[in-house]
Amino acid sequence: MQTLINKKILLGVTGGIAAYKSAELVRLLIKAGAEVRVVMTPAAREFVQPLTYQALSGHRVYVDLFDAEADSAMDHIELARWCDLMLVAPASADFLGKMSAGYADNLLLTLCLASRQLVAVAPAMNQQMYANAATAANLEQLSSRGILVWGPDAGEQACGDVGPGRMLEPAHLLTNLEICFKPGKLHGIGILLTAGPTREAIDPVRYISNRSSGKMGYALARAALHEGAEVTLVSGPVSLAPPAGVKMISVESAAEMLDAVMQEVPGSDVFIACAAVSDYRVDQQADHKIKKSTQTMTLDLVPNTDILAAVSALAERPFCVGFAAETRDLEKYALDKLKRKNLDMIAANLVGDGSGGFEADVNRLEVFWDGGEHSIALADKREVAKQLIELIGERYTDALSGNPSKA
Ligand code: PMT
């Protein structure tokens, strides 16, 4: 593979005995044609001298957050912008804990916060520390934010213990890096995605909304990015971090979501409507907070435009994929939406029974298209998203070759 040629890799080294192996990784990366800059935490310097990495990478090594020489080199924001990918190897338990909590008390942690690029970590620690619930929670938290967790390996450790916690070998990390830069199946395809709920204001402090967390839509955005797509994510209010590399557009109401989507449609090849858009909005929004009274209150609701149907009705439309959230008769309602909204595909999920759909970390989907269907079994939303994106990629390619007017 020659995918690393001219790629800019920022290698973070934290305090652990495996730091010596990262010197070999630098050598392998340079040999593969990558440009490498190394950032060390203060603890890493207790294990390996910066000079080692400097000699191998051909560049000065960055250690201090407040560096008097920064003017003549790159400051931390520039460094974060410079790289195509940041890999922290070895990543100690302490570093992973701080990274998961969003600390920025050394240069490497600051770069992790400031980076919009893909970040990967290669954990390395004693097997008992790795088995600790705190470490597991930190890694799960990082992974849910889209940070790639590579390893650890199992085997004999420097302290004499045996078990999982060893850093992956440099050659293995190199392969993972090469895979990251391999052109994906959706390379160059523009994917427009909606995610999360919308909020329809009642007055300045109250609104109508729903239980969508955005997890399914954000997982789809990540899976599409991973396959090389150019992703635009139009999202309602959620508490998730935007996946690194997406063009992010945050909206609140269905009307704002419609405007944003219509603006982005012209550059998009595929439109995936995963958002739970409010079907209605309040007819007359109150200018001031509505006062409590003992009387029954009635709100007049008017229908919102169906964003998905509006996109699929365009003369020059992208390949349109809808979702159907149903509490019963999943197939019947999904097929009805597929036809009525003139879609290329629909992914249907049962909601409201607690086994997936809204808010949950897991989901299962029944996917339908004209003349075909496919089930995606109950799994973590990240896995479900991966499988759905793969299927969309296949169907989109078929549509392109078989029926150009549809794509
Ligand atoms: O966000 P999570 O907590 O992870 O939950 C994921 C999910 C359950 C929200 C997601 O998997 C899902 O099912 N999204 C669609 C929810 C929905 O509103 O379904 P619907 O059957 O009411 O709408 C059908 C389709 O029309 C959807 O693609 C929807 O985005 C679209 N629509 C609906 C109304 C509207 N005004 N505009 C639209 O574009």
Side-chain angles (χ1 to χ4, degrees):
M1 268 190 269
Q2 299 209 317
T3 58
L4 288 171
I5 291 173
N6 294 332
K7 290 292 179 294
K8 298 184 176 83
I9 309 293
L10 192 67
L11 178 66
V13 183
T14 74
I17 187 64
Y20 80 92
K21 289 191 186 174
S22 299
E24 169 66 359
L25 179 59
V26 176
R27 195 187 67 77
L28 292 175
L29 281 167
I30 298 289
K31 203 171 151 206
E35 213 182 308
V36 184
R37 300 285 163 98
V38 180
V39 178
M40 299 176 79
T41 62
R45 281 202 294 190
E46 303 292 330
F47 292 87
V48 178
Q49 286 302 309
L51 201 57
T52 307
Y53 300 109
Q54 183 172 318
L56 290 164
S57 68
H59 292 282
R60 68 174 282 235
V61 171
Y62 300 83
V63 180
D64 296 318
L65 187 52
F66 304 104
D67 188 344
E69 287 178 48
D71 281 345
S72 59
M74 288 192 218
D75 71 16
H76 60 277
I77 300 297
E78 262 185 88
L79 255 181
R81 286 191 190 133
W82 168 83
C83 66
D84 296 312
L85 185 148
M86 193 187 312
L87 167 63
V88 182
S92 66
D94 174 67
F95 185 86
L96 292 167
K98 286 180 168 169
M99 189 178 171
S100 135
Y103 276 49
D105 62 359
N106 66 42
L107 177 60
L108 187 54
L109 283 165
T110 310
L111 287 167
C112 289
L113 271 188
S115 175
R116 286 184 54 81
Q117 309 304 105
L118 205 54
V119 178
V121 294
M125 66 197 75
N126 165 268
Q127 52 90 21
Q128 204 57 52
M129 291 168 82
Y130 180 66
N132 194 291
T135 306
N138 289 333
L139 287 171
E140 177 53 34
Q141 168 69 245
L142 291 170
S143 171
S144 74
R145 280 191 235 144
I147 286 156
L148 304 172
V149 179
W150 291 343
D153 238 344
E156 200 173 322
Q157 304 201 294
C159 56
D161 280 8
V162 177
R166 283 163 59 102
M167 188 176 90
L168 288 184
E169 291 303 319
H172 193 148
L173 292 174
L174 185 82
T175 305
N176 285 7
L177 287 165
E178 284 172 334
I179 291 169
C180 278
F181 290 107
K182 216 174 83 185
K185 291 194 191 119
L186 300 178
H187 182 71
I189 292 174
I191 295 195
L192 175 61
L193 245 162
T194 63
T198 61
R199 284 181 183 169
E200 309 303 322
I202 298 170
D203 67 16
V205 295
R206 303 179 178 99
Y207 55 79
I208 298 172
S209 190
N210 59 65
R211 293 182 180 278
S212 171
S213 62
K215 287 177 193 167
M216 191 68 241
Y218 278 53
L220 285 166
R222 287 205 173 92
L225 279 169
H226 189 73
E227 284 303 328
E230 284 157 25
V231 181
T232 302
L233 180 58
V234 180
S235 174
V238 296
S239 53
L240 302 174
V246 296
K247 176 176 173 187
M248 184 75 200
I249 304 176
S250 299
V251 297
E252 232 179 83
S253 65
E256 286 172 12
M257 188 173 272
L258 174 69
D259 284 351
V261 165
M262 285 308 182
Q263 285 228 346
E264 296 298 323
V265 161
S268 307
D269 303 299
V270 177
F271 175 51
I272 307 174
C274 185
V277 186
S278 292
D279 289 324
Y280 295 92
R281 67 179 182 279
V282 178
D283 190 19
Q284 297 291 333
Q285 244 182 67
D287 290 336
H288 297 282
K289 185 180 170 197
I290 299 169
K291 289 289 168 201
K292 187 167 76 177
S293 90
T294 52
Q295 302 298 306
T296 308
M297 189 181 154
T298 306
L299 287 173
D300 282 331
L301 302 179
V302 291
N304 278 325
T305 302
D306 190 305
I307 302 170
L308 178 58
V311 171
S312 84
L314 293 170
E316 295 211 9
R317 84 207 242 299
F319 184 87
C320 289
V321 183
F323 266 74
E326 309 295 345
T327 53
R328 63 193 164 116
D329 296 326
L330 190 65
E331 179 168 349
K332 181 176 137 207
Y333 289 129
L335 288 175
D336 173 62
K337 281 175 185 166
L338 178 74
K339 202 164 163 213
R340 195 162 33 85
K341 300 195 188 195
N342 186 30
L343 307 178
D344 296 292
M345 287 174 87
I346 192 153
N349 38 200
L350 260 188
V351 295
D353 67 351
S355 72
F358 287 90
E359 291 176 308
D361 288 331
V362 293
N363 207 6
R364 70 160 64 96
L365 295 173
E366 296 299 327
V367 191
F368 302 97
W369 60 92
D370 189 11
E373 62 179 276
H374 180 83
S375 298
I376 299 180
L378 186 72
D380 188 287
K381 280 181 176 166
R382 288 169 281 190
E383 174 57 29
V384 172
K386 190 169 153 252
Q387 293 185 34
L388 181 59
I389 286 294
E390 217 164 278
L391 191 60
I392 291 172
E394 285 166 18
R395 299 297 316 145
Y396 170 69
T397 314
D398 282 358
L400 264 188
S401 50
N403 183 0
S405 67
K406 275 200 157 184

